[in-house]
């Protein structure tokens, strides 16, 4: 069965500092990996995805993620955090041959001014 | 273009009642997926419809059901409501089937259901 783990419930970072939100996954086959962001009282917004190819994926709002097959990780990163990045971030995985997405439990990012 | 529209935004129901939530996908999108979001369980997949057919189903009791119409609009129904059904219900639409890497999918803002 496919699964995804976000080990940190909350990440705190100062504005202007780099941020990392961690995600590890478990699948039987090749993974398709996604990051979404949720602002209060809103739905999820797509940030980026890894399908195949380059391990470093660039997405919306300056975010990027690095796919590491040996560590089964797909950490979300941003070189310089903004206060407006404060939100709930979800990692999701789907393995080839399966249709449903499985989401992680979410990580709340707080960027302090 | 218009996004995914979910109605109503908020609902308060009494235990034992039933409720119907609506989702209008982005024009041209044929896939609609439903998720339940709660603080304790996170995002859990309910079901997916594509071209009026249920293609995927999560691990929820039969009280949860859905359907999709020919215009791709979808409804989900919860019968005999329980307090634990209180959640944010999100729908997402896509051109392709859920998780298809060739198509992104867009979430609505959700319907917040409170069961008292």
């Amino acid at each position: 069965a496919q699964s995804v783990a976000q080990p940190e419930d909350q990440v705190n970072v100062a504005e202007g500092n780099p941020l990392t939100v961690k995600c590890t996954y478990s699948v039987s086959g090749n993974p398709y990996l996604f990051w979404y962001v949720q602002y209060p009282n809103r739905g999820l917004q797509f940030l980026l995805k890894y399908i195949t190819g380059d391990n470093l994926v660039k997405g919306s709002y300056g975010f990027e993620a690095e796919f590491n097959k040996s560590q089964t990780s797909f950490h979300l990163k941003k070189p310089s955090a903004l206060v407006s990045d404060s939100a709930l971030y979800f990692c999701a995985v789907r393995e080839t041959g399966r249709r449903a997405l499985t989401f992680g439990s979410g990580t709340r990012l707080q960027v302090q001014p | 273009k218009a996004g995914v529209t979910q109605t109503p935004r908020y609902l308060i129901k009494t235990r034992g009642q039933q409720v119907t939530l609506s989702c209008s996908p982005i024009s041209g999108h044929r896939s609609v997926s439903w998720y339940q979001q709660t603080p304790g369980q996170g995002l859990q997949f309910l079901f997916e419809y594509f071209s009026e057919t249920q293609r995927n189903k999560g691990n929820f009791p039969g009280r949860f059901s859905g359907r999709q119409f020919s215009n791709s609009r979808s409804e989900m129904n919860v019968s005999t409501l329980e307090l634990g059904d209180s959640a944010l219900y999100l729908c997402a639409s896509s051109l392709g089937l859920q998780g298809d890497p060739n198509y992104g999918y867009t979430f609505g803002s959700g319907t917040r259901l409170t069961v008292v």
Side-chain angles (χ1 to χ4, degrees):
Chain A
Q2 58 189 30
S3 66
V4 59
Q6 293 181 244
E8 301 155 318
D9 290 336
Q10 181 156 321
V11 170
N12 297 308
V13 64
E15 188 174 31
N17 283 0
L19 69 86
T20 299
V21 182
K22 295 179 180 177
C23 171
T24 59
Y25 66 90
S26 175
V27 297
S28 301
N30 293 321
Y32 299 139
L33 294 154
F34 305 81
W35 276 102
Y36 285 83
V37 59
Q38 186 178 35
Y39 297 98
N41 299 314
R42 302 296 299 276
L44 276 65
Q45 294 179 31
F46 171 79
L47 282 177
L48 51 79
K49 65 182 178 183
Y50 171 81
I51 306 304
T52 187
D54 289 341
N55 290 341
L56 186 63
V57 179
K58 294 189 183 297
S60 306
Y61 313 120
F63 284 93
E64 57 188 30
E66 186 168 9
F67 171 66
N68 188 316
K69 189 172 184 178
S70 62
Q71 297 186 5
T72 61
S73 66
F74 189 57
H75 301 331
L76 182 69
K77 300 182 180 184
K78 187 173 183 181
S80 179
L82 300 172
V83 173
S84 57
D85 292 330
S86 298
L88 188 57
Y89 289 80
F90 290 94
C91 181
V93 67
R94 170 181 171 259
E95 61 188 13
T96 51
R98 286 180 63 94
R99 288 176 169 165
L101 275 178
T102 298
F103 284 86
S105 55
T107 297
R108 187 164 301 282
L109 174 67
Q110 291 280 9
V111 181
Q112 283 106 17
Chain B
K1 58 183 177 181
V4 178
T5 304
Q6 291 189 246
T7 56
R9 287 296 309 273
Y10 301 94
L11 265 178
I12 300 177
K13 289 286 188 180
T14 304
R15 193 170 44 182
Q17 286 187 311
Q18 75 162 15
V19 67
T20 299
L21 313 181
S22 179
C23 173
S24 293
I26 290 173
S27 179
H29 284 194
R30 296 163 64 191
S31 168
V32 174
S33 300
W34 289 89
Y35 285 85
Q36 182 195 65
Q37 185 178 18
T38 59
Q41 300 296 320
L43 276 158
Q44 292 189 286
F45 171 68
L46 281 154
F47 28 64
E48 176 188 16
Y49 287 86
F50 185 86
S51 296
E52 302 179 66
T53 303
Q54 189 180 88
R55 300 302 181 105
N56 282 294
K57 190 176 189 308
N59 191 25
F60 276 80
R63 301 185 296 109
F64 292 81
S65 63
R67 59 178 175 170
Q68 186 179 34
F69 302 95
S70 58
N71 62 356
S72 293
R73 188 177 70 86
S74 177
E75 290 181 346
M76 68 162 280
N77 184 278
V78 188
S79 62
T80 320
L81 284 166
E82 300 177 359
L83 297 179
D85 297 333
S86 294
L88 180 66
Y89 290 87
L90 294 167
C91 85
S93 79
S94 173
L95 279 169
L97 284 167
Q98 186 200 79
D100 186 326
N102 294 309
Y103 301 103
Y105 62 105
T106 305
F107 281 83
S109 296
T111 294
R112 184 163 296 281
L113 172 65
T114 302
V115 182
V116 297

